[in-house]
């Protein structure tokens, strides 16, 4: 492969980045499991940055693959097209990359399951609609004496 070092160096950085993403996924899962809102907010803010970086890495990868004549080839296919020491190095890198991506997806799926369960639980909470502090879908309090009146407008 022409420009082997350039390809290898980029994919090595991309793999290291995915190792970082995996660690953040683990932190996100721990935060969601802890119900610590401050930690969840911090992790989700950091996660937004990682999403942007992932998009940038993927764009760079596509550009590099095109530049090297590897467009429309998978990493696996590139590895299989090589031989000797280059193939061994690329194969090791491929397995590291794949492991980081697969584990990242696993942790993300676990986090999504926790979020789904929490949303489901919130949806099952029964509010007492007779409680004057409970607004209906129109933003008013359903009690007769407070009808068409916002609770904040009510005299104490």
């Amino acid at each position: 492969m022409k420009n082997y070092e350039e390809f290898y160096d980029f994919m090595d950085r991309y793999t290291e980045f995915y190792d970082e993403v995996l660690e953040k996924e683990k932190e996100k899962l721990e935060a969601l499991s802890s119900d610590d809102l401050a930690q969840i907010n911090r992790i989700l803010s950091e996660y937004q940055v990682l999403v942007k970086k992932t998009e940038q890495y993927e764009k760079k990868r596509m550009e590099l693959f095109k530049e090297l004549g590897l467009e429309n080839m998978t990493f696996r296919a590139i590895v299989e097209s090589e031989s000797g020491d280059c193939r061994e190095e690329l194969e090791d890198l491929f397995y590291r990359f794949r492991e980081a991506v697969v584990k990242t997806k696993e942790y993300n799926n676990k986090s999504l399951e926790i979020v789904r369960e929490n949303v489901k639980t919130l949806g099952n909470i029964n509010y007492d609609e007779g409680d004057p502090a409970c607004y209906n879908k129109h933003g008013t309090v359903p009690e007769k004496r407070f009808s068409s009146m916002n609770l904040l407008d009510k005299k104490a």
Side-chain angles (χ1 to χ4, degrees), residues 5-129:
E5 291 298 320
E6 182 180 6
F7 174 81
Y8 184 89
D9 289 344
F10 175 79
M11 290 307 296
D12 188 47
R13 285 192 312 275
Y14 201 6
T15 301
E16 288 173 3
F17 170 72
Y18 256 99
D19 287 338
E20 178 185 338
V21 172
L22 175 57
E23 291 307 310
K24 291 298 181 186
E25 281 292 342
K26 290 177 182 178
E27 289 178 27
K28 182 174 76 171
L29 180 62
E30 287 176 26
L32 291 169
S33 298
S34 74
D35 294 331
D36 179 347
L37 292 179
Q39 184 182 13
I40 291 170
N41 283 332
R42 181 184 57 80
I43 293 295
L44 292 179
S45 293
E46 292 173 5
Y47 193 75
Q48 299 274 338
V49 173
L50 288 177
V51 168
K52 289 291 183 195
K53 283 184 179 180
T54 301
E55 292 169 356
Q56 292 170 351
Y57 262 105
E58 190 56 22
K59 183 179 176 187
K60 288 178 188 175
R61 184 199 63 78
M62 291 170 61
E63 290 169 359
L64 178 64
F65 278 34
K66 185 175 183 177
E67 181 183 309
L68 297 177
L70 304 170
E71 198 172 19
N72 300 322
M73 287 184 75
T74 63
F75 191 4
R76 184 71 178 141
I78 295 167
V79 170
E80 290 173 355
S81 71
E82 292 298 312
S83 60
D85 291 342
C86 290
R87 182 179 177 136
E88 286 181 37
E89 278 184 340
L90 285 176
E91 206 162 57
D92 289 344
L93 183 58
F94 169 78
Y95 287 122
R96 277 184 41 224
F97 182 79
R98 185 177 70 177
E99 181 73 13
V101 170
V102 167
K103 291 284 186 190
T104 296
K105 286 180 181 179
E106 288 174 6
Y107 277 95
N108 188 47
N109 287 337
K110 289 176 184 177
S111 293
L112 287 173
E113 187 59 36
I114 289 173
V115 170
R116 282 187 198 104
E117 285 299 314
N118 288 343
V119 168
K120 184 178 174 183
T121 299
L122 285 173
N124 288 332
I125 293 175
N126 292 322
Y127 296 102
D128 178 8
E129 292 184 12

